[in-house]
Amino acid sequence: MTGNVAKIGLQGYMSQLQRHPLRTKAITSGVLSAISDIVAQKLSGIQKLQTRRILLKLLLGCAYVAPFRHYFHMLLDKIFKGKTDTKTVAKKVAIEQLAVFPLNTILIMIYYGCIVDGRPWTQVKRKIRTDFLSLQLTAWTSGLAFGWINHKYVPLELRVVYQSLLAFCWGVFMTLRTIMVPIKP
């Protein structure tokens, strides 16, 4: 019975992904981002969940992360004509890891600091200066392997979903690494 429910749920999800790819990816990314923040808040010892923070993470996943990844993967597949040979995958991973992801890490650190945590730009800039390199090096230690798997084996329509699942774990890690004590009103 449980297997049947899971199968029906997966079929429904895949149907939505085929009919409404961007919307489905945006909802998936937003929900996973929000849940990862709930987990991070609980792990960090926050007693009362910060609803505003969760909603801002949901917004980030829906409005930025999913659309950016959706169009980025479409562009890469267009540039490289959907090829998945070793040389092409290496190029895709290099572009993603060396050009796109570092910029993305900085943008997300700015969003977390200025928007989510409400910190002044000077504090956020200092946080980026002190934490960016170690965060990015950590991202590269797993990102290269996960990027390779994504570009080599995951179909185009599932790449954003795959990354959203990985981002769930990364979001918990990054939130715990970049979290600052909330400003009291």
Side-chain angles (χ1 to χ4, degrees), residues 49-70:
L49 288 177
Q50 299 173 0
T51 308
R52 176 184 176 275
R53 196 184 157 81
I54 295 166
L55 292 174
L56 287 170
K57 295 291 185 81
L58 179 101
L59 178 64
L60 177 70
C62 288
Y64 170 71
V65 174
F68 175 80
R69 288 179 179 162
H70 174 80

Side-chain angles (χ1 to χ4, degrees), residues 82-134:
K83 294 179 185 173
T84 58
D85 61 278
T86 302
K87 189 175 178 180
T88 302
V89 170
K91 289 176 186 176
K92 288 179 179 181
V93 172
I95 290 168
E96 184 176 70
Q97 296 294 321
L98 298 174
V100 175
F101 280 5
L103 177 61
N104 203 41
T105 299
I106 289 171
L107 290 174
I108 290 175
M109 288 180 79
I110 291 168
Y111 183 81
Y112 281 17
C114 292
I115 307 298
V116 176
D117 291 335
R119 295 288 166 183
W121 171 244
T122 54
Q123 286 182 13
V124 173
K125 194 165 60 171
R126 190 174 331 117
K127 188 78 169 159
I128 291 169
R129 263 191 255 118
T130 59
D131 289 1
F132 169 74
L133 186 57
S134 68

